[in-house]
Amino acid sequence: MPIATVNPANGETVKTYEAMGEEELERRLQLAEATFRTYRTTSFEERARLLNRAAELLDEDTPEIGRVMTTEMGKPVKQARAEAAKCAKAMRWYAGRAAELLADEHPAEADVRDSGASRALVRYRPLGPVLAVMPWNFPLWQVVRFAAPALMAGNVGLLKHASNVPQTALYLEDLFHRAGFTEGVFQTLLIGSGAVDEILRDERVKAATLTGSEPAGRAVASTAGEMVKKTVLELGGSDPFVVMPSADVERAAEVAVTARVQNNGQSCIAAKRFIVHSDVYDAFTERFAEGMRALRVGDPQAEDTDIGPLATEQGRADLEELVDDARRGGASVLCGGERPEGPGWYYPPTVLAGVGREMRVHREEAFGPVATVYRADGLDEAVLIANDSPFGLSSNVWTRDEAEVDRFVRDLEAGGVFVNGMTASHPALPFGGVKRSGYGRELSGHGIREFCNITTVWHGA
């Protein structure tokens, strides 16, 4: 895949870039290793000063970088600006809390004495250069939620971004440099996916994080396992959205629309499978389909657009195949389901009902504005349908019954359970999944400690 900005709204190539050669990659790896030796000794106060400055610059740059993101991957520009604001918020959150999150831990005195020590503590130390392999769907946020905690912990970052968002990737390197970080603290590597394996095998790279597809995650995990390097993987998701009889059905249907089509439906944590109790199935499905039909599809640079084009032509083709397979299998198309005429990689908001286990869309992630609706006769069946997926990223549950909430929290196989609301990420809350959605956690204290050497310090009597 060429490294290029291709506008998905019209298919036109805006700008192309040459991949970095071996000599330039070697220079950058050397720089990362050398920079880490000194950056690791900087204080939390100094790192926080630099990260807060990066947040200030991002605030100033938001209108322009919002337009760039929209041009590169098609998200509505108002959502692009919101993404930039979220990144600045995360930077400030980690700048203000990293010292506390990584403070020395002191075991109970009785345990220290029992270990034979006069004193003992646990200290969090940085690992070194960390390779981040990032996707195009949230081209700023996916990177910042890695970079903010990693840099505050004293690591340095090497970014291999998706090949269709090179301008955003280069902007991130420039942002951190303008904020005052030393040149080698955060570097963008303009390379194709074929170069990732060699870089990950380099002894100077100490760990890796990847957000992306399951095949990409397997490849990185395989190489990292062979090299015995730490990895964090956030892969696909096919999140359930369960609606029970006690729920506010009208509100649930309204939120369901946003939960499905955020970011043009191209979000791992977007709700994709809507599992509705029989008692409220008809009422919910009617409102949900009506809300999906009412969405405005069009120019992503326009302020009143709800859904822009899919990011790639292949992504639209993949989505069409899932819908066509379900239609052939007997699923009902309640709205959408047909490619519009004209330029750009647009696809309409689509709702499928009567989906069976033999259909591909039941097992595969629909990465676009396509929803599947299931009928469940009770809580047990709802849980069975929700867990009948290879993925386990997050989940949504709508009920006013606390006993039902307890059951869902206990039994749903997911990294998050959001009750009477849609899944969203926040710096204070850990983010990640189970099953084929990956392992490890981003954000919160859990995320900043993922790339730390958790060191026991023991003093004899």
Side-chain angles (χ1 to χ4, degrees), residues 99-141:
E100 176 187 352
L101 294 172
L102 297 180
D104 290 347
E105 295 180 6
H106 298 274
E109 283 299 322
D111 292 330
V112 172
R113 290 193 299 271
D114 190 56
S115 76
S118 61
R119 57 193 177 97
L121 57 90
V122 177
R123 178 160 295 172
Y124 294 94
R125 298 187 292 159
L127 292 179
V130 180
L131 174 65
V133 183
M134 294 287 112
W136 47 260
N137 57 335
F138 291 96
L140 272 187
W141 172 241

Side-chain angles (χ1 to χ4, degrees), residues 57 72 100 111 113 119 149 159 165-166 172 225 236 251 259 275 295 319 333-334 338 360 389 406 454 457:
L57 291 171
E72 291 202 304
E100 176 187 352
D111 292 330
R113 290 193 299 271
R119 57 193 177 97
L159 170 64
V165 289
L172 283 158
R251 176 61 179 159
I275 303 160
L295 294 170
L319 197 66
V333 181
L334 304 185
E338 297 293 339
R360 288 177 55 198
S389 169
D406 290 341
I454 305 173
V457 182

